[in-house]
Amino acid sequence: MTAATQEERTDTAPSTPSPALSKAGRWARRAPLLPALIFLIVVTQLPFIGTLIVSFMDWNAYYPNDRGFAGFGNFVTVLTDVNARKAIFVTVVLTTTVVLTSLLLGLGIALLLDRKFRGRGVVRTLMITPFLVVPVAAALLWKHALYNPEYGLFNGMLTMIFGDNAPQPDWITNNPLIAIGAAIVWQWTPFMMLILLAGLQSRPLDVVEAARIDGASPWQIFTHMTLPHLRPYLELSGLLGAIYVVQNFDHVFTITSGGLGTANLPYYIYQTFYTALDYGRASAAGVVVVLGTIIIATFALRTVLSLFQEESR
Amino acid sequence: MSTMTRARKPAAPSEVKKPRSGIFLTLLAWFIGLAFVLPVVWMVLTSFHSEEDAASNPPAIVAPLSLDGFKSFFDSNPWPPLLNSMTASVVSTILVLILALPAAYALSIKPVEKWSDVMFFFLSTKFLPIVAGVLPIYLIAQNLHMLDNIGFLIILYTGMNLPIAVWMLRSFLAEVPVEMLEAAQVDGASVTRTLREIVAPVIMPGIAAAALICFIFSWNELLLARVLTSTTAQTAPVFLTGFVTSQGLFLAKVCAASLVVSLPVLAAGFAAQDKLVQGLSMGAVR
Amino acid sequence: MVVMPVSAALLLSGCAGWGGGVGGGGSNTINVLMVNNPQMVDLQKLAPEFTKETGIKVNFTVLPENDLRDKASQEFSSQAGQYDVATLSNFEIPIYAKSGWVAPMNAFTKRDKEFDQGDILEPMRKALSVDGEVYGQPFYGESSFMMYRKDVFAAKGVTMPKNPTWTQVADIAKKVDRAERGMRSICLRGQPGWGQLFAPLTTVVNTFGGTWFDKEWNAKVDDKGFTDATKFYVDLTRKHGPAGAPQAGFTECLNNMTQGNVAMWYDATSAAGSLEAASSPVKGKIGYVPAPVMKTDSSGWLFAWAWAIEQASPKKSQAWKFVSWASSKKYENLVGEELGWSKVPSGKRTSTYANPRYLKEAGAFSAATRKAIESADPNNPGVQPRPAPGIQFVTIPEFPSLGTQLSQEISSAIAGRKTVDEALGLGQDLAKDVAKPYQEREGK
């Protein structure tokens, strides 16, 4: 952890202030931050402390009289539970593939839309539409209107093209994770594309123009100028995408109800809460997830990503 | 679709047209745009069909239009949930902005010490899976008699979106030319005038984009709404899931309901796309 | 720092304007949580009649089955008092009754002569009682039976025996496969969920001589009976089932049967009402025989959606008025007159099966339905004594989690991604974990 880089912003206050004054000045600086900070601590950390406490308890709502202290029992159960391990694996696979696919697709489409062509505005509007459909509606749409083997659009199109003997694959059953992933990619690609498009449009064009005049090939310009410029945007969209996809619940719940080996961590926790009413174990699983994501995120943010390594601009 | 992932030559907007590849790229862009919108078009079309036509194979593209799906949606009194969603999304978005703007100011224009750690903390709250906090939140709501209460949902949505808004707004405020602020201060310009003339033009797109994103995420939220609301505070997405029956055909109904529930977000998103692109540029990061 | 208190005050004052709080509505309004099956949706349409009679307003929340179970378990276990009445099944009601989450009803039924508790079918009343105290009133009840296309069988020269065995059904499945273009032999549920896939599968397990647990709470999931039954079920579905079998639940099978995609369907007796509805293309073409058997005499399940009153409800007498109205003979007649006799919530009262107008409409399946319900015995559904009641489930709180997890494995087996042995090996471990605390308590 590097010490946070202080921005070189000179105070307008007179130099060599008395310690008391500078303390007051520090608090004056902090004041606008406090409402948001306090609000957020109350709304997010309190429930998490509650989860932490419950995770050390034997607490199943069906047996209210057997409540007690469990020590690390719930954590042992979670970490040795086959289904929990599978859920961890599914979460990792789903998140990485969905985020990477959406990023690459988003980048390609952003590059396409960065050109001037007839109907560019219309195509952009078409592209962002999926992002504006309510996720649970999108999940319902994919499950029932597109994937359904009997009357879904995909098999319907196959019938239209190949006639009566067309193959009628059972999309969800054959590739459950891909089916869920595709539906999420469809919703997140537009969002990634928007961020990357914003990045492309903030490029200093005169520099690109100068490079072109100097005889740089488009490929060189892309690798040496565009990509480095886009790096923070790629990281930002990847990070936001990962945050939301890790937590994806609507699609897994709607499309497969966690079946066919698609139960991810949020679904596993949900199931432990609501079908087993095993509050202790569900909370322990929640704590494990939080710790895991914080560790991974800290590592990513502090080492790999440039977002937090901003020097003074 | 896999050809998509191959990096393509970027063409800067102002270049001289190379006609052939240009036409190809234009067609490709159109093709991809249409492919992405196709499921939504299908949703709209299906919502105007009868249940029998909606479940036919090959798909009934030119089936007679029917309003049955919409009729059964509007017969089931969708207004309270829609109004609840609207209230929750609008009010929580306003609250987010009220809290996020000063915070973003304290993280950029007059940054507190260790501001990037604070930023990291803000973002780290987004790593808490909502599902892991649902039980304590439910118990808290029960003890405060706040179950089935839109106000409680608004507080949660505000907390849910605050980090993202702070992030977006901070990057815009960081673009405000500090020298000009100082100069204005020296000239004795009033605070409101400074805000209006120097700060506002820079951060308006950021505010618009942040507001839109917060609105969308609140409108879409399902898990918390499902767990914490019952009769009076039910939101539109929860209401929507009620249309899937375990018996009988429901496709046209569900498509009609999905369309209506998504309309506010679609309208806001289409109207504000330019703002969204500007806003997501994060004040051009640096 | 001014922002916080101001916005908080705004919020708090605003909340008052948005209603909310627990037990919304006045003393003459009740909140009802129900599953969104067609019978409940019909009830929602007819509820103004109830309000006209009693002056009690009803707020409904309707949810799909899975969502309803989640919501109900949370609501009743925390006794939040947001709902006065909910549709629960004969699986939840005994468990909730033992936990003291649902209100006893004997006092109400004694006073309410018009309700006529004695008219409720015996297996239903038993399944909704604990130690002689009734905790739920059935809205409609069902067992399971075999439905088949008489016209297709006739065209193929195949006959369905009066009391088929599963071996005979498998033979028939070979003969009628692809009898018509795009038609497969049989639809059996493959959708994960303890109440989806495991409802029919557990009845097959029972009649093959298997069980989840023996009397001493020893897990028996990888035993011969359970394994044979599961292999049979998975094989039959893989060989002769329709597309999408691993995701097929009641709805998907109903669609398959209605659209002519399958020739046979083993499922709930309540499906017959939809198959024989006026708009159904297969109306009049379906034959009904009892659930196929192997080592037992009958194997139909027993299930009811029933009204239960939450213990925390401050409006129990208004709630009872609603329950009494919704489960009454009068309501059945109201549905018959207003919406058609095929839509009557049946399978719960003796009097329904003596009603000539109902029999005229439901003649094709009413006798088979009643017989199936009356031959169901939740206390002795298999070939060995059981530690807890239940035919297509084990009435213990852990069963939903156990059944759902194992159903996901078996759904994968139907999809061909796992073997049955792998799935049941895991199932045995899960079942052992469930059984351990029970054995410890027994041992005390």
Side-chain angles (χ1 to χ4, degrees):
Chain A
M1 301 256 174
T2 51
T5 47
Q6 274 282 17
E7 304 243 334
E8 285 306 308
R9 289 230 161 132
T10 44
D11 262 42
T12 47
S15 50
T16 61
S18 68
L21 232 174
S22 76
K23 204 169 178 179
R26 270 216 295 276
W27 278 107
R29 280 187 168 217
R30 288 172 189 164
L33 178 64
L34 293 177
L37 199 58
I38 293 166
F39 182 89
L40 205 60
I41 288 173
V42 169
V43 172
T44 61
Q45 307 301 299
L46 275 187
F48 181 61
I49 291 169
T51 306
L52 199 60
I53 294 169
V54 176
S55 69
F56 287 101
M57 288 169 70
D58 250 333
W59 185 5
N60 185 311
Y62 281 118
Y63 305 104
N65 307 331
D66 293 356
R67 244 188 289 183
F69 180 71
F72 283 94
N74 289 318
F75 290 92
V76 174
T77 316
V78 167
L79 293 173
T80 53
D81 182 357
V82 183
N83 286 314
R85 281 207 300 265
K86 264 200 284 200
I88 293 172
F89 176 73
V90 168
T91 308
V92 171
V93 169
L94 195 66
T95 309
T96 45
T97 49
V98 165
V99 170
L100 286 177
T101 314
S102 319
L103 261 183
L104 286 171
L105 275 174
L107 177 63
I109 298 166
L111 288 169
L112 277 178
L113 287 181
D114 194 38
R115 307 164 49 246
K116 277 201 174 57
F117 64 89
R118 196 181 292 264
R120 178 170 131 184
V122 180
V123 173
R124 193 179 72 184
T125 308
L126 297 183
M127 268 307 307
I128 62 167
T129 308
F131 177 63
L132 303 173
V133 175
V134 174
V136 66
L140 288 169
L141 174 76
W142 280 74
K143 178 178 168 74
H144 297 291
L146 303 181
Y147 285 142
N148 184 301
E150 311 288 339
Y151 50 77
L153 179 64
F154 291 160
N155 283 356
M157 291 203 312
L158 288 174
T159 313
M160 273 164 61
I161 298 166
F162 299 108
D164 283 341
N165 296 326
Q168 298 280 289
D170 186 350
W171 303 89
I172 296 176
T173 307
N174 297 347
N175 298 296
L177 263 181
I178 294 178
I180 291 176
I184 308 176
V185 164
W186 178 74
Q187 286 218 279
W188 278 96
T189 300
F191 184 71
M192 308 279 192
M193 179 211 79
L194 274 176
I195 295 182
L196 295 171
L197 190 61
L200 283 172
Q201 296 186 343
S202 67
R203 265 188 313 180
L205 280 179
D206 45 352
V207 186
V208 176
E209 206 55 43
R212 198 192 314 284
I213 290 164
D214 289 348
S217 71
W219 177 245
Q220 281 172 316
I221 291 176
F222 178 73
T223 50
H224 287 88
M225 305 178 77
T226 310
L227 269 186
H229 172 79
L230 279 184
R231 182 176 165 180
Y233 295 92
L234 285 165
E235 287 173 357
L236 181 79
S237 43
L239 184 71
L240 288 178
I243 285 174
Y244 283 97
V245 177
V246 161
Q247 298 208 25
N248 183 287
F249 172 80
D250 303 7
H251 285 79
V252 175
F253 184 85
T254 306
I255 294 178
T256 55
S257 1
L260 303 172
T262 57
N264 63 349
L265 278 163
Y267 187 85
Y268 170 82
I269 297 171
Y270 179 88
Q271 216 182 24
T272 318
F273 265 135
Y274 290 100
T275 6
L277 290 182
D278 192 338
Y279 292 166
R281 189 156 53 97
S283 300
V287 172
V288 170
V289 176
V290 172
L291 291 178
T293 39
I294 297 263
I295 290 167
I296 293 173
T298 309
F299 173 77
L301 290 175
R302 297 287 174 173
T303 58
V304 184
L305 300 187
S306 60
L307 287 172
F308 272 100
Q309 298 160 0
E310 291 186 51
E311 299 305 322
S312 54
R313 286 174 307 276
Chain B
M1 288 302 273
S2 61
T3 50
M4 282 300 313
T5 53
R6 251 186 282 140
R8 243 166 290 88
K9 297 174 185 172
S14 60
E15 77 179 300
V16 193
K17 289 269 184 302
K18 297 196 211 69
R20 210 153 12 129
S21 71
I23 284 177
F24 170 74
L25 289 177
T26 302
L27 284 176
L28 183 66
W30 268 99
F31 174 78
I32 293 170
L34 288 171
F36 264 83
V37 87
L38 178 72
V40 182
V41 172
W42 184 243
M43 177 171 97
V44 176
L45 192 64
T46 306
S47 68
F48 284 104
H49 282 165
S50 69
E51 293 294 1
E52 285 73 24
D53 289 331
S56 65
N57 185 357
I61 292 170
V62 285
L65 297 184
S66 122
L67 288 172
D68 291 355
F70 289 94
K71 198 175 161 303
S72 56
F73 174 73
F74 284 112
D75 281 351
S76 54
N77 192 17
W79 298 112
L82 285 167
L83 199 67
N84 283 333
S85 272
M86 198 45 94
T87 310
S89 309
V90 171
V91 177
S92 78
T93 301
I94 292 169
L95 271 180
V96 164
L97 291 178
I98 290 174
L99 290 168
L101 274 166
Y105 172 88
L107 293 169
S108 57
I109 293 191
K110 289 218 160 106
V112 296
E113 66 277 27
K114 303 216 166 172
W115 63 268
S116 75
D117 289 343
V118 178
M119 291 277 291
F120 179 70
F121 168 75
F122 269 99
L123 197 65
S124 73
T125 62
K126 291 300 295 172
F127 301 141
L128 303 174
I130 292 179
V131 73
V134 155
L135 173 73
I137 290 172
Y138 179 85
L139 296 174
I140 291 166
Q142 194 188 341
N143 286 315
L144 297 175
H145 296 295
M146 295 281 253
L147 282 173
D148 202 21
N149 185 316
I150 274 290
F152 191 74
L153 219 48
I154 286 171
I155 293 174
L156 293 173
Y157 287 179
T158 306
M160 182 176 87
N161 289 325
L162 192 56
I164 301 286
V166 168
W167 259 63
M168 287 175 78
L169 295 174
R170 194 210 82 89
S171 59
F172 273 84
L173 279 167
E175 291 302 298
V176 173
V178 182
E179 304 72 29
M180 282 177 76
L181 284 183
E182 282 164 6
Q185 218 169 359
V186 172
D187 295 348
S190 70
V191 176
T192 46
R193 210 183 122 200
T194 316
L195 283 179
R196 200 177 55 231
E197 292 185 359
I198 299 172
V199 181
V202 180
I203 66 165
M204 261 344 246
I207 292 183
L212 184 64
I213 294 275
C214 292
F215 177 85
I216 291 176
F217 285 148
S218 306
W219 183 275
N220 289 349
E221 207 284 328
L222 175 71
L223 186 63
L224 285 171
R226 222 169 105 151
V227 170
L228 298 169
T229 68
S230 50
T231 47
T232 47
Q234 199 187 36
T235 63
V238 182
F239 181 72
L240 172 63
T241 55
F243 277 91
V244 182
T245 63
S246 53
Q247 304 182 354
L249 294 168
F250 56 79
L251 198 57
K253 237 191 330 239
V254 166
C255 283
S258 299
L259 181 62
V260 177
V261 168
S262 299
L263 268 184
V265 181
L266 282 164
F270 286 159
Q273 343 178 17
D274 291 327
K275 291 274 180 300
L276 206 52
V277 174
Q278 278 180 319
L280 290 170
S281 68
M282 297 284 162
V285 178
R286 73 191 77 151
Chain C
M1 281 310 292
V2 184
V3 180
M4 266 303 265
V6 171
S7 59
L10 267 178
L11 269 178
L12 291 173
S13 62
C15 293
W18 298 327
V22 167
S27 65
N28 244 1
T29 306
I30 58 167
N31 292 334
V32 175
L33 173 65
M34 54 185 194
V35 70
N36 68 355
N37 291 351
Q39 293 87 336
M40 285 63 172
V41 177
D42 290 343
L43 178 109
Q44 214 179 341
K45 286 188 200 129
L46 296 169
E49 290 286 328
F50 171 71
T51 308
K52 220 175 2 190
E53 274 175 40
T54 60
I56 299 169
K57 247 187 98 258
V58 188
N59 288 329
F60 291 104
T61 304
V62 263
L63 295 172
E65 192 169 326
N66 285 347
D67 304 36
L68 171 103
R69 289 188 199 278
D70 296 342
K71 191 96 197 152
S73 73
Q74 184 187 38
E75 168 75 19
F76 281 78
S77 66
S78 63
Q79 288 292 302
Q82 296 187 87
Y83 292 100
D84 305 289
V85 178
T87 51
L88 299 175
S89 75
N90 53 321
F91 170 77
E92 288 94 3
I93 286 179
I95 296 174
Y96 286 15
K98 283 178 186 138
S99 300
W101 296 340
V102 287
M105 292 181 172
N106 280 8
F108 290 119
T109 56
K110 268 205 197 71
R111 264 183 312 212
D112 192 343
K113 288 285 174 283
E114 200 190 341
F115 179 75
D116 192 3
Q117 177 74 40
D119 187 36
I120 303 285
L121 294 172
E122 187 70 2
M124 287 292 159
R125 192 176 55 75
K126 270 195 193 151
L128 299 170
S129 304
V130 174
D131 303 333
E133 178 80 48
V134 176
Y135 289 91
Q137 293 299 350
F139 179 46
Y140 65 89
E142 63 181 41
S143 178
S144 56
F145 55 21
M146 179 61 91
M147 297 159 269
Y148 67 99
R149 285 281 297 275
K150 289 186 295 197
D151 54 332
V152 175
F153 275 52
K156 280 267 154 193
V158 183
T159 39
M160 174 66 84
K162 283 267 176 290
N163 272 307
T165 64
W166 275 113
T167 320
Q168 288 168 326
V169 170
D171 279 345
I172 292 172
K174 283 198 196 86
K175 291 177 189 151
V176 297
D177 207 347
R178 308 202 189 271
E180 290 179 8
R181 201 174 63 77
M183 181 185 274
R184 304 305 308 269
S185 309
I186 187 162
C187 200
L188 293 170
R189 296 183 192 180
Q191 195 182 83
W194 65 274
Q196 282 287 5
L197 184 153
F198 262 121
L201 178 52
T202 306
T203 66
V204 180
V205 167
N206 289 336
T207 198
F208 269 71
T211 178
W212 284 89
F213 301 103
D214 68 8
K215 189 81 183 146
E216 283 72 47
W217 286 111
N218 295 309
K220 292 287 177 192
V221 173
D222 57 359
D223 264 32
K224 189 171 180 315
F226 207 114
T227 311
D228 289 351
T230 310
K231 279 188 173 151
F232 175 85
Y233 188 96
V234 169
D235 280 351
L236 189 58
T237 310
R238 282 183 61 80
K239 279 193 196 127
H240 303 294
Q247 285 297 311
F250 177 89
T251 315
E252 287 76 8
C253 284
L254 176 63
N255 273 346
N256 280 328
M257 197 74 187
T258 315
Q259 308 277 344
N261 296 334
V262 289
M264 286 184 282
W265 179 24
Y266 168 60
D267 213 305
T269 53
S270 58
S274 311
L275 294 174
E276 302 291 348
S279 61
S280 163
V282 292
K283 180 176 162 54
K285 297 179 181 171
I286 312 261
Y288 303 90
V289 289
V293 289
M294 292 300 276
K295 296 182 178 173
T296 55
D297 294 338
S298 67
S299 85
W301 71 58
L302 187 71
F303 188 79
W305 279 111
W307 306 105
I309 300 175
E310 190 176 332
Q311 187 63 27
S313 162
K315 305 171 191 166
K316 290 198 185 69
S317 64
Q318 289 94 324
W320 169 257
K321 275 189 186 144
F322 173 79
V323 173
S324 163
W325 172 79
S327 287
S328 64
K329 299 174 203 174
K330 203 169 58 184
Y331 177 78
E332 289 187 6
N333 287 327
L334 180 70
V335 173
E337 311 272 317
E338 296 279 326
L339 307 172
W341 289 95
S342 66
K343 296 197 164 193
V344 166
S346 57
K348 66 173 183 288
R349 287 180 172 273
T350 315
S351 56
T352 315
Y353 296 94
N355 181 334
R357 282 173 302 175
Y358 173 73
L359 292 178
K360 187 166 155 256
E361 189 68 39
F365 55 89
S366 62
T369 301
R370 184 180 172 180
K371 190 177 152 210
I373 293 175
E374 291 192 328
S375 57
D377 183 0
N379 293 319
N380 187 20
V383 299
Q384 64 284 83
R386 305 291 174 95
I391 300 178
Q392 76 278 28
F393 47 70
V394 187
T395 311
I396 51 170
E398 293 80 5
F399 184 75
S401 190
L402 168 65
T404 300
Q405 288 185 52
L406 184 50
S407 71
Q408 287 168 353
E409 302 299 315
I410 295 184
S411 183
S412 292
I414 294 174
R417 305 156 64 85
K418 262 212 167 63
T419 66
V420 170
D421 289 325
E422 281 170 357
L424 295 184
L426 182 84
Q428 175 72 2
D429 294 342
L430 292 169
K432 271 186 192 154
D433 288 347
V434 166
K436 211 181 298 163
Y438 281 92
Q439 286 173 315
E440 283 163 13
R441 272 173 236 156
E442 300 274 307
K444 275 173 199 166

